[in-house]
Structure formats: C-alpha cells, structure tokens
Amino acid sequence: MRNLIICLLCSVIISGCGFSLRGNYELPASVSQLRVGSAEAHSALERALRNELKPYNVDIIDASVEGHSDVTNIYLLSDELDRRLLSLFSTGQVAEYELIYTVRYELQFANSDAQLLEFDIKREYQDDPDAVLAKSRELELVLSEMRKQAAIRIIHQISVAQHTLSNSALVTP
C-alpha cells in the first residue's frame, strides 16, 4: 500500500510540473488547420512534415488553395545538405564527413506577421570507398532520418511559437 501511495504521489508531482516525455508535443487548439507549401514541388521534407502531422489530427491545406486567412501557414523555403570533411585515411581518401542539413521556412499564424526560421541538423557519416553502393544507400537512409527529425522539429517550433505568441498577446494591453 505504501508503494502505491508513493507512486501516485510521484506521478502527481511530475505531471503537475508540466513534465512530458520527449517528442510528445501538443499542438495548440488554434492550430487545427495548416497550409503547407514549399518552394520545391514535391519536396521530400514537405512529405515528411505531412506524415509527421497525421497523428495530430490537423487539416492540411495545400498552399495552392486560396482563401482561409485564419489558417496557420508553413512555407518551406529550402532544405540543403552540406558535407564537411572530418578525417582522412592514410591514403588521402575521405574517411568521415559531418553532414549538415539546413532547413529554412516561414511560419505565419492567423492575424500575425510571418516569422523566418532556420535550423541545422548535424550527423557524422563514415565513408568507405570499398563499399560505394552500400554507403550511398546508407546516406539515403540517414538523409531520410534527418528529414523526419526536421519535420518533428518544425512541429515543436510551431507549438513553442504559438505558445509564445499567445502569452505575448495576454501581456500587451
């Protein structure tokens, strides 16, 4: 009985302080519809973002559809993958890269100005010149994982930006 009371007390304290598991982002109720678009037609990042938004039950509207001025807009401006040399083999061939995936997008909530946001996701990638085909497939998988992580980060930034926007609206007279 004592253990049960201790467990209940701990769970009440943890939930009361606002703790939530990492990756468990709640979108505000005001973000029930999103207009998603990108500068590049059929963008892989746009597809990843749409897939990550499915569990949130958000109506996704194409950027090409006009109207809906009370909708939150996300416009993916660019996503680029750069490589930076980290190490070389004794033969002079590249042994390791740092992959840098940069995402730039514009976020605009209803009745507010657009915000230009940018972030980087970095990964170390070991290159093996003897397994070119396997490494190219591995690079595709790493890039796909980086896009998924970028989509999750965009969702998190939407949540944070909306929360910040609603708090600043409460403070200003």
Side-chain angles (χ1 to χ4, degrees):
M1 186 66 164
R2 181 178 176 203
N3 289 340
L4 179 63
I5 292 173
I6 290 172
C7 284
L8 284 173
L9 183 62
C10 288
S11 65
V12 167
I13 290 171
I14 289 175
S15 64
C17 74
F19 174 81
S20 64
L21 293 174
R22 184 178 178 150
N24 187 16
Y25 308 116
E26 291 293 323
L27 287 177
S30 61
V31 184
S32 61
Q33 291 184 327
L34 282 172
R35 180 180 289 136
V36 178
S38 67
E40 179 185 327
H42 309 294
S43 165
L45 178 58
E46 182 180 354
R47 284 193 306 272
L49 180 60
R50 288 174 185 264
N51 285 337
E52 291 301 317
L53 284 168
K54 285 180 183 176
Y56 293 98
N57 296 324
V58 174
D59 293 330
I60 300 173
I61 302 169
D62 276 336
S64 60
V65 177
E66 292 299 319
H68 302 286
S69 61
D70 58 340
V71 174
T72 301
N73 294 303
I74 301 172
Y75 191 74
L76 304 170
L77 299 169
S78 66
D79 59 321
E80 303 168 346
L81 181 66
D82 291 327
R83 296 188 299 186
R84 188 174 65 115
L85 181 66
L86 289 180
S87 65
L88 297 172
F89 289 117
S90 60
T91 60
Q93 292 179 313
V94 176
E96 195 175 18
Y97 288 108
E98 180 180 46
L99 301 175
I100 305 165
Y101 185 62
T102 305
V103 176
R104 291 177 193 86
Y105 69 99
E106 193 173 84
L107 176 62
Q108 182 178 17
F109 293 104
N111 304 320
S112 67
D113 295 331
Q115 304 171 21
L116 185 61
L117 300 167
E118 177 179 337
F119 61 87
D120 294 329
I121 296 174
K122 297 178 182 179
R123 293 278 188 283
E124 289 184 12
Y125 175 74
Q126 294 180 348
D127 199 12
D128 183 3
D130 296 330
V132 175
L133 290 176
K135 283 300 190 177
S136 67
R137 177 66 181 139
E138 182 183 350
L139 181 61
E140 289 174 20
L141 290 172
V142 169
L143 182 57
S144 175
E145 177 188 311
M146 291 171 85
R147 282 188 185 114
K148 181 178 179 178
Q149 185 178 0
I152 291 169
R153 193 160 176 184
I154 289 171
I155 292 169
H156 176 66
Q157 287 181 339
I158 292 169
S159 178
V160 169
Q162 177 63 30
H163 180 72
T164 304
L165 184 67
S166 63
N167 283 346
S168 67
L170 293 175
V171 172
T172 57

